Amino acid sequence: MLEIKNLHARIVDDGTEIIRGLNLTVKAGEVAAIMGPNGSGKSTLSYILAGREDYEVTEGDILYNGQSILEMDPAERATSGIFLAFQYPMEIPGVATMEFLKVAMNEQRKARGEEPLKIPEFLKRVKDAAASLNMDMAMLKRPLNVGFSGGEKKRAEILQMKLLEPNLCVLDETDSGLDIDALKIVSDGVNALRSPDRAIVIITHYQRLLQHIEPDTVHVLYRGQVIKSGDKSLALDLEANGYAGVIGQAA
Amino acid sequence: MNIHTTPQRTPAETALIDAFSDRLSLLPGDGTVMLKRDDAIEAIKSGLPTRRIESWHYTDLRRLLASVPDFDPAAAAKAIAPIVEGSAVLPVLNGVSSTKLPTVDGVAVQRLSEKLTDGSAAPGLDPYGTDDAIGALNTAFVADGYFVDISDGTELDKPIELQNLQAGGQTHVRLGVRVGAGAKAVIVERQAGEGAALVSSVSQLLLGEGADVTWLIVQEQPDTATHLAQFKAHLGKNAKLTLFVMNAGGKLVRQEIVVKTTGEGADFTLRGINLLAGDTHTDVTMVLDHAVPHTASTEVIRNVVTGKARGIFQGRINVHQYAQKTNAKMACNTLLLSDDGEFSTKPELEIFADDVVCGHGATVTEIDHSHLFYLMARGIDEKTARGLLVKAFVAEVIEELDDEAIVEALEARLDGWFVAHG
Ligand SMILES: Nc1ncnc2c1ncn2[C@@H]1O[C@H](COP(=O)(O)OP(=O)(O)OP(=O)(O)O)[C@@H](O)[C@H]1O
Ligand SMILES: [Mg+2]
């Protein structure tokens, strides 16, 4: 489903290369975990997948369902089924959350050639999704993410993911900031989305999340490259021994 | 040598002076009123204000008012649906008030033409300050409007909507409202039409002790009209006024706001939205006098500028010597969406008391790219996402009004503007 080939990317503003020859393949139905030290380029990779303009791809390609997405803008990528749950979701004052959800859901439907949702059906879907994530509807009456606590923002990201039903889900440190109960609830939410035609990429620092959402593959990102890939035992190994060994092997 | 260098009259000045002679016999008014009209036309004869006059620095009326249309007796404006359903509508169509008016308990409505004829409207016709060009224009020509009296203690559950609607030509209208002690009301001032008119409109509001009023000015003139407006208010003891001004139209617009807190504990809030497009000029000028101690005011203005539009906000706050414990805050934020548009902000604080808290801030920004990215990353195309963010920028000010019916009504006006200019 996702094939990243020898990807090089830099920051547009100052030309610093962050992603330096990265290769990664994630198949449909697969849950892939990406781990790696702070500053290794995990969030940058997720932004590049989503099409953020602050980064520029200088070499290599990203194929999604066999097609390059490099020429697509963020909205086109999203309507083609790519979803990024942000590490730091933005607060957008003045944009009503419900209005935003309605527009976003209907854009997805438009891309699939479906009619816009009727209001009662829309409300029902939002209510059901919010209930499953233990979210208070009152929160959704506020402007988008404004004043949400760290954990509430993460839940709101997963709520959006549930409602937009993407095919490729990228979760950037969704677990950080969540309390123990919320971690379970959010993990259940993600697990419910597991399906043979959906791929999930989980960026995390902690084995704890991977106990709830069991990955099929684990990849270590370091200095803009995937330096080691393995199965879920690799995450356990990292948890026990840290990154030093893996980095040493690669060097 | 030329000693008297009186500049030549502009076509607009000449047209106004000629129109006054023509109209004089048609204008209502007793002796006092007619004398004030004479004074007013004398002020116009000495010339429309230019940029050399400080309060008109950004709006050189003499230059900008290239011509004025003739009065058009055939112009036929039609009343429109109020922005909040169920409002009591008082229409002024082409400068003429209606004889068929809704009755509201605790509210007495008089046609202004009658109050001009019997002279009871005369005291309100005096100019304020020395450069009151809008007041002069209006006093010279005003023929009608309304005077609304809301009796002490009356709490209205539906808004009163004053509609000033034009269909071309010239209209000069006055809207006076007295709100009695402890009374509570929402008043909508609608300014709209479809012609290339010259409109002058003066609103006067008197707030009794403890009165609580939300006044909404919704200006949606066509981009061919000249709209010169004034809103003047006096706030008595513990009176509370929330003034909301939305400019979403007009070719040449000047909205003056003159507010005086004359009673302790008075509270004034100004919220303004200027939606500026095309080749237009919009000037909002406020003069706020804190004349007594323990009064508060906040002003927040949000502007969206596209095309070649030009906007101005001048906010002058005078804190008089005895007005200790004044609390005044002013902010003016602009979202600039085109390179050719511009917005000028001029805050002025004149503080003669020493124990006061006053502040102001002005910003000019573009759309936040990270916000745009977030919305697009959810599949919302760029144009729609930009629209959402621009609307959000101004909607924040509307939502503060905290009254669902009003918020919805204003957001609908906002949507209308975005559909036309998005
Ligand atoms: N827009 C930017 N401007 C400047 N530096 C940037 C920018 N984006 C990324 N970087 C730098 O690139 C490197 C990788 O950052 P990135 O956020 O991708 O790391 P990460 O692996 O997600 O780290 P963490 O685990 O702390 O979230 C960091 O050194 C970061 O400072
Ligand atoms: Mg990160």
Side-chain angles (χ1 to χ4, degrees), chain B residues 222-241:
Chain B
D223 62 6
T224 48
T226 298
H227 182 79
L228 302 174
Q230 208 170 64
F231 171 88
K232 298 195 277 192
H234 274 243
L235 274 66
K237 196 172 168 191
N238 294 325
K240 185 168 183 281
L241 170 62

Side-chain angles (χ1 to χ4, degrees), chain A residues 38-39 41-44 46-47 87-88 172-173 203 205:
Chain A
N38 293 131
K42 303 182 296 297
S43 293
T44 303
S46 74
Y47 286 144
Q87 182 174 2
Y88 304 109
D172 190 359
E173 294 198 29
I203 298 171
H205 288 293

Side-chain angles (χ1 to χ4, degrees), chain B residues 388-409:
Chain B
L388 279 174
L389 291 172
V390 174
K391 193 180 150 195
F393 177 75
V394 284
E396 260 191 299
V397 179
I398 294 178
E399 270 142 29
E400 256 190 75
L401 288 170
D402 237 16
D403 173 324
E404 212 166 309
I406 295 174
V407 170
E408 257 177 47

Side-chain angles (χ1 to χ4, degrees), chain B residues 61-391:
Chain B
L61 191 62
R62 189 163 189 271
R63 187 175 60 78
L64 291 170
L65 193 65
S67 65
V68 299
D70 291 333
F71 280 82
D72 179 3
K78 284 188 262 332
I80 49 181
I83 63 165
V84 176
E85 220 184 280
S87 300
V89 177
L90 305 180
V92 182
L93 305 179
N94 269 94
V96 181
S97 66
S98 169
T99 46
K100 291 193 295 274
L101 295 171
T103 50
V104 180
D105 283 345
V107 180
V109 181
Q110 245 187 303
R111 304 178 73 190
L112 198 87
S113 50
E114 290 166 9
K115 285 180 70 75
L116 288 163
T117 303
D118 70 18
S120 58
L125 297 179
D126 288 329
Y128 92 89
T130 49
D131 310 312
D132 187 6
I134 295 178
L137 177 64
N138 190 268
T139 293
F141 290 102
V142 62
D144 210 346
Y146 292 105
F147 183 78
V148 179
D149 189 281
I150 301 173
S151 63
D152 292 3
T154 298
E155 292 197 13
L156 298 179
D157 53 359
K158 289 281 181 187
I160 292 177
E161 182 166 308
L162 301 159
Q163 297 184 344
N164 183 20
L165 306 173
Q166 55 89 5
Q170 286 190 37
T171 64
H172 303 278
V173 171
R174 231 163 235 257
L175 305 164
V177 178
R178 188 196 76 95
V179 183
K184 200 170 173 208
V186 173
I187 294 161
V188 180
E189 176 188 330
R190 249 349 235 297
Q191 301 282 356
E194 41 207 27
L198 169 66
V199 176
S200 84
S201 182
V202 174
S203 301
Q204 284 162 300
L205 171 66
L206 198 63
L207 285 186
E209 184 171 336
D212 182 347
V213 167
T214 299
W215 185 295
L216 314 169
I217 298 175
V218 180
Q219 186 276 110
E220 296 167 305
Q221 297 284 10
D223 62 6
T224 48
T226 298
H227 182 79
L228 302 174
Q230 208 170 64
F231 171 88
K232 298 195 277 192
H234 274 243
L235 274 66
K237 196 172 168 191
N238 294 325
K240 185 168 183 281
L241 170 62
T242 301
L243 174 64
F244 181 90
V245 181
M246 173 168 159
N247 282 306
K251 161 113 189 109
L252 169 59
V253 176
R254 167 119 161 166
Q255 172 73 58
E256 297 178 349
I257 297 160
V258 184
V259 174
K260 201 166 193 165
T261 62
T262 52
E264 286 193 24
D267 186 284
F268 173 60
T269 302
L270 170 65
R271 295 293 179 266
I273 290 180
N274 294 303
L275 305 172
L276 311 181
D279 190 2
T280 61
H281 180 108
T282 304
D283 173 337
V284 176
T285 291
M286 179 197 79
V287 180
L288 170 63
D289 276 286
H290 284 275
V292 294
H294 293 284
T295 61
S297 70
T298 66
E299 295 80 36
V300 178
I301 308 288
R302 293 271 167 108
N303 314 298
V304 174
V305 182
T306 69
K308 286 197 277 187
R310 179 157 198 248
I312 296 108
F313 174 65
Q314 305 190 93
R316 183 185 175 92
I317 300 180
N318 299 319
V319 181
H320 296 216
Q321 194 177 348
Y322 301 107
Q324 302 293 2
K325 307 283 181 196
T326 295
N327 193 330
K329 283 196 200 73
M330 185 155 69
C332 183
N333 312 106
T334 302
L335 195 57
L336 198 55
L337 300 178
S338 81
D339 294 339
D340 297 326
E342 67 177 78
F343 201 97
S344 313
T345 305
K346 184 179 174 201
E348 280 180 290
L349 300 174
E350 284 272 358
I351 303 171
F352 295 102
D354 49 23
D355 184 12
V356 300
V357 181
C358 291
H360 62 79
T363 60
V364 178
T365 48
E366 292 169 16
I367 283 182
D368 185 318
H369 281 267
S370 63
H371 290 174
L372 188 64
F373 171 61
Y374 188 88
L375 296 182
M376 289 179 75
R378 297 302 179 246
I380 302 173
D381 69 80
E382 181 166 352
K383 186 166 184 271
T384 309
R386 280 181 186 276
L388 279 174
L389 291 172
V390 174
K391 193 180 150 195

Side-chain angles (χ1 to χ4, degrees), chain A residues 4-236:
Chain A
I4 304 175
K5 292 183 186 166
N6 187 33
L7 189 72
H8 289 257
R10 62 184 185 197
I11 300 169
V12 172
D13 273 354
D14 61 8
T16 315
E17 185 163 70
I18 308 288
I19 303 298
R20 304 166 190 168
L22 186 144
N23 292 289
L24 179 70
T25 301
V26 183
K27 295 203 263 310
E30 183 178 327
V31 173
I34 296 182
M35 304 183 80
N38 293 131
S40 55
K42 303 182 296 297
S43 293
T44 303
L45 176 64
S46 74
Y47 286 144
I48 290 168
L49 286 172
R52 192 167 184 151
E53 282 175 358
D54 306 45
Y55 307 97
E56 172 184 35
V57 171
T58 52
E59 214 184 312
D61 207 349
I62 303 172
L63 305 182
Y64 168 64
N65 292 331
Q67 306 264 325
S68 173
I69 60 168
L70 294 184
E71 294 303 316
M72 292 160 75
D73 79 13
E76 291 167 333
R77 295 183 195 201
T79 48
S80 77
I82 300 175
F83 182 94
L84 166 63
F86 285 67
Q87 182 174 2
Y88 304 109
M90 278 138 212
E91 300 196 2
I92 309 193
V95 172
T97 305
M98 291 302 271
E99 164 88 2
F100 159 77
L101 290 174
K102 195 173 75 205
V103 174
M105 284 166 76
N106 284 332
E107 292 283 332
Q108 294 287 340
R109 296 177 68 82
K110 197 163 79 186
R112 291 196 296 260
E114 296 167 10
E115 289 292 304
L117 280 172
K118 299 256 186 321
I119 300 286
E121 172 65 15
F122 162 72
L123 287 174
K124 185 179 176 318
R125 289 193 191 191
V126 175
K127 272 186 193 141
D128 290 352
S132 76
L133 290 164
N134 230 344
M135 283 173 77
D136 193 349
M137 283 297 285
M139 229 173 80
L140 303 180
K141 300 215 161 73
R142 308 221 299 254
L144 190 51
N145 291 331
V146 173
F148 289 18
S149 76
E152 285 169 348
K153 282 182 187 158
K154 297 301 177 73
R155 274 189 229 205
E157 292 289 288
I158 300 305
L159 176 83
Q160 292 178 29
M161 189 166 94
K162 274 177 105 86
L163 292 172
L164 298 181
E165 301 176 317
N167 296 321
L168 173 61
C169 311
V170 181
L171 283 72
D172 190 359
E173 294 198 29
T174 298
D175 50 339
S176 60
L178 289 179
D179 65 45
I180 295 161
D181 295 335
L183 186 69
K184 173 92 173 64
I185 291 164
V186 164
S187 304
D188 290 347
V190 175
N191 282 327
L193 283 173
R194 283 180 96 141
S195 91
D197 44 28
R198 194 173 269 145
I200 301 176
V201 176
I202 296 179
I203 298 171
T204 182
H205 288 293
Y206 304 109
Q207 166 62 23
R208 204 180 50 192
L209 177 69
L210 303 180
Q211 282 165 354
H212 290 292
I213 311 170
E214 249 185 54
D216 301 300
T217 55
V218 175
H219 310 270
V220 178
L221 201 93
Y222 180 65
R223 290 197 177 160
Q225 287 186 331
V226 173
I227 56 164
K228 189 172 171 105
S229 298
D231 61 14
K232 63 184 179 191
S233 65
L234 176 56
L236 288 168

